[in-house]
Amino acid sequence: MAEKRYAMVIDVRRCISCFACSVACKAEMKVPLEVFATWLKIVEKGQDPNAQRFVLPRLCNNCGNPICTRNCPTRATWQREDGIVLVDQHRCIGCKYCIASCPYDVRYVNPLKNLVQKCYWCHHRLDAGLVPACVETCPTRALTFGDVNDPKSEVSKLLATSATQVLKKEMQTEPFVYYIGADEVAMSNVEEEINYYTESTLIKIRI
Amino acid sequence: MEQPDINVVYNVKHQLPLIIYIGQYFFFTGLSAGSFVISVIATLLGRKEFKPIGKITAILAPILLIIAPLNLIADLEQPLRFWHLFLYYNWTSPITYGSFLLTAYPIMGIIYAIMVYTNRQTAAKILGILGIPLAISVHGYTGFILALAKARALWNTAAMPTIFLVSAMVSGIGLVVIVAAIRWKWFDKKATPEQREQDKRLILQLAQFMAYTIMLDLFLVVSDILVLLTAHSDALEAGMLILTGNFAPLFVGVEIILGALIPMVLVLGPTRKSLTAAVVASILVNIGVYAMRFVMVIGGQTIPLS
């Protein structure tokens, strides 16, 4: 039996953009206001009568070759054998170099604790035999979580039978969050021209 | 086929991780490394007329390098945990190299300054030769901090450490010119007229040397941008951001025109015999290099990642 390596497969075709994953994450991981560990990116194509919306659930990829653990100066960011990248909250000095290095913008500074945090794929729930809170709560079962080294697991089957994509493959980070049916524009970085929820998009430039 | 309109309806962006403190830190280490190299060159040449400059720069380098890391600690979210850098080092992180280099270099700089001021020439020369690689790595590693953060297209280029080193030389020489001119104007009254003339010539020579390093800097910046413009789409976006986008006034206006072209004309043009022009050029150069640090650190992070 090979070692465990967790992965997530997100079937974007099933996502109804209800934000339940984001809410469950906030409740489970006590993510403060202003920051998010899981969220949905929604992109609209075309003009009003023919506009189409495309959604992309976003969370930490818990990469196979993470740049954050390589660049962390204090080894506060480390990777478990099952692939989950954690941040040691007692060791992190808050230099934010991991945030600057991460190509996915999934790390954040907890404004209450002044520490860097991220999505840990709810490792405390995994250790208790449960699945992450977002996977548990997703009403359309768009999120699937499991061990890729176990050929009988649901993720292995999905990965073997569907066309999947990962975010920014060219970054050589080996992301372990796979998308099925994600839109190419939603997966790339697009300049924001019109924003309907301006207050929600938290661009804070501290200078 | 025409591309459909694309609007981002909802997305989350977290705040910029590295802020102006980091740019300021790069600026101060650059000044320190530049003035240290000038000091060692003056000591190694050993000519009597270089002595004042060698002394000024020997004292500037450690002072600046004591100010610089304060910026880093101020930027930490947990400043009281800075000692974790030494206890829990990670050899794959450029910040770890930096934390050790930033400890070794000021100590060496202080010993070197003592040697220069007590006129122990041989010891000063040996320490200077040993110190140059240290000074170069203290500033070169800051370029690696940006270059190895691979997410940001503006930073992730092989030219970044060299650009940082050369702009450090530019700003360091600029600072030396300013300080040497202040000394010449107000604290050099006892010297004979010939000596004063000699000192002035030396300052003007330094200013000309600065103009040549500006040329090298401009060459590196232009080559970096040309490659950015022909590389992948994120790099193109980064290049356009500093050429025509939000950071164009700072980059083209302040860094290139005010901080490089105008000083070059002032120092090499018809005003090349004037000390005032050399000092004005040095001030402009330092403003330009500060703008460069700002554009690199802040501008590099404003390109959306998702």
Side-chain angles (χ1 to χ4, degrees):
Chain A
M1 183 89 187
E3 274 187 9
K4 275 190 178 177
R5 203 332 171 173
Y6 288 118
M8 189 181 282
V9 179
I10 301 178
D11 193 341
V12 183
R13 297 168 301 179
R14 286 185 173 190
C15 179
I16 54 171
S17 38
C18 64
F19 284 83
C21 48
S22 201
V23 174
C25 177
K26 284 253 181 193
E28 178 72 30
M29 299 304 291
K30 298 189 177 66
V31 181
L33 286 175
E34 302 189 354
V35 289
F36 293 85
T38 304
W39 70 94
L40 299 177
K41 180 182 178 182
I42 304 174
V43 172
E44 198 173 73
K45 281 191 202 171
Q47 283 299 337
D48 197 11
N50 306 316
Q52 274 284 343
R53 280 191 175 186
F54 296 88
V55 65
L56 187 79
R58 295 275 283 108
L59 73 164
C60 175
N61 287 296
N62 288 283
C63 305
N65 178 21
I67 184 71
C68 46
T69 56
R70 195 197 303 170
N71 277 355
C72 176
T74 59
R75 287 176 282 154
T77 289
W78 59 287
Q79 192 164 28
R80 295 203 332 183
E81 282 177 359
D82 53 13
I84 298 177
V85 178
L86 299 170
V87 184
D88 186 338
Q89 300 289 297
H90 299 285
R91 194 180 277 193
C92 175
I93 58 171
C95 70
K96 293 161 285 183
Y97 190 39
C98 52
I99 309 182
S101 319
C102 175
Y104 304 103
D105 199 17
V106 289
R107 289 171 159 261
Y108 56 87
V109 178
N110 184 325
L112 303 176
K113 292 183 174 172
N114 289 341
L115 287 163
V116 175
Q117 294 183 339
K118 64 186 278 294
C119 161
Y120 308 123
W121 273 351
C122 292
H123 62 285
H124 57 291
R125 287 176 61 93
L126 293 177
D127 295 343
L130 301 164
V131 289
C134 51
V135 179
E136 181 92 50
T137 203
C138 182
T140 56
R141 283 182 284 133
L143 312 180
T144 315
F145 190 85
D147 178 11
V148 274
N149 287 340
D150 174 13
K152 285 180 191 144
S153 70
E154 211 178 332
V155 276
S156 302
K157 285 176 190 162
L158 271 174
L159 285 173
T161 54
S162 344
T164 54
Q165 295 156 280
V166 291
L167 281 172
K168 296 194 186 175
K169 198 178 168 59
E170 72 277 7
M171 286 290 173
Q172 298 180 14
T173 43
E174 299 172 34
F176 270 80
V177 171
Y178 297 89
Y179 292 92
I180 300 174
D183 179 60
E184 190 264 329
V185 173
M187 289 179 88
S188 57
N189 53 343
V190 266
E191 289 286 344
E192 283 165 68
E193 283 167 16
I194 300 170
N195 205 313
Y196 299 130
Y197 307 112
T198 318
E199 302 97 280
S200 308
T201 309
L202 293 151
I203 310 173
K204 259 213 281 181
I205 303 184
R206 298 186 301 148
I207 291 174
Chain B
M1 197 192 98
E2 208 178 313
Q3 284 284 320
D5 285 359
I6 292 157
N7 298 318
V8 177
V9 179
Y10 183 87
N11 196 8
V12 170
K13 280 184 182 162
H14 294 121
Q15 60 182 213
L16 297 188
L18 305 184
I19 54 169
I20 188 58
Y21 286 130
I22 301 292
Q24 234 167 60
Y25 156 72
F26 291 162
F27 181 67
F28 281 120
T29 43
L31 286 179
S32 171
S35 45
F36 187 80
V37 170
I38 293 294
S39 173
V40 173
I41 290 173
T43 311
L44 285 184
L45 290 176
R47 299 237 297 270
K48 213 176 157 215
E49 63 262 31
F50 290 154
K51 262 205 179 148
I53 289 204
K55 279 188 173 176
I56 294 170
T57 43
I59 200 79
L60 271 177
I63 289 176
L64 287 164
L65 217 93
I66 289 162
I67 302 171
L70 294 180
N71 283 298
L72 282 184
I73 292 175
D75 182 61
L76 292 184
E77 294 291 329
Q78 298 283 343
L80 294 179
R81 290 188 187 174
F82 74 92
W83 52 272
H84 286 196
L85 285 167
F86 301 102
L87 203 59
Y88 308 117
Y89 52 84
N90 175 10
W91 289 121
T92 53
S93 170
I95 293 184
T96 293
Y97 307 149
S99 47
F100 288 99
L101 287 170
L102 281 174
T103 322
Y105 173 72
I107 295 173
M108 225 239 32
I110 290 169
I111 298 173
Y112 169 79
I114 293 171
M115 292 304 159
V116 168
Y117 273 80
T118 51
N119 257 327
R120 274 176 268 184
Q121 285 298 327
T122 353
K125 277 181 189 171
I126 292 167
L127 275 174
I129 292 168
L130 290 176
I132 280 191
L134 201 57
I136 288 177
S137 38
V138 146
H139 196 65
Y141 106 89
T142 61
F144 281 109
I145 285 191
L146 294 192
L148 295 184
K150 65 176 165 192
R152 317 281 169 171
L154 188 61
W155 301 351
N156 191 7
T157 63
M160 198 50 62
T162 326
I163 290 182
F164 266 63
L165 275 178
V166 174
S167 58
M169 277 308 287
V170 173
S171 64
I173 301 170
L175 184 74
V176 174
V177 168
I178 296 169
V179 176
I182 291 172
R183 177 181 171 277
W184 185 84
K185 182 93 179 145
W186 286 295
F187 303 101
D188 201 17
K189 297 290 185 205
K190 280 179 211 153
T192 56
E194 298 91 63
Q195 216 173 352
R196 275 177 70 78
E197 196 54 39
Q198 207 176 37
D199 280 357
K200 187 182 168 183
R201 221 172 33 240
L202 197 66
I203 296 171
L204 291 175
Q205 272 172 5
L206 256 183
Q208 274 176 14
F209 183 45
M210 178 177 79
Y212 299 132
T213 50
I214 291 175
M215 283 177 199
L216 184 59
D217 189 35
L218 278 179
F219 167 73
L220 285 170
V221 168
V222 168
S223 59
D224 186 35
I225 284 178
L226 278 179
V227 175
L228 278 180
L229 292 181
T230 45
H232 52 88
S233 57
D234 281 2
L236 174 69
E237 205 178 316
M240 294 314 276
L241 175 86
I242 56 173
L243 278 185
T244 57
N246 287 339
F247 283 83
L250 263 180
F251 176 74
V252 181
V254 180
E255 182 185 336
I256 300 294
I257 296 175
L258 198 69
L261 295 178
I262 293 179
M264 233 156 68
V265 172
L266 279 176
V267 171
L268 299 178
T271 52
R272 64 177 175 275
K273 294 267 187 280
S274 149
L275 196 63
T276 325
V279 171
V280 170
S282 305
I283 293 170
L284 287 179
V285 153
N286 271 293
I287 292 172
V289 172
Y290 192 86
M292 177 260 181
R293 310 294 196 226
F294 185 88
V295 170
M296 281 298 166
V297 173
I298 307 291
Q301 297 173 80
T302 54
I303 301 158
L305 290 175
S306 62

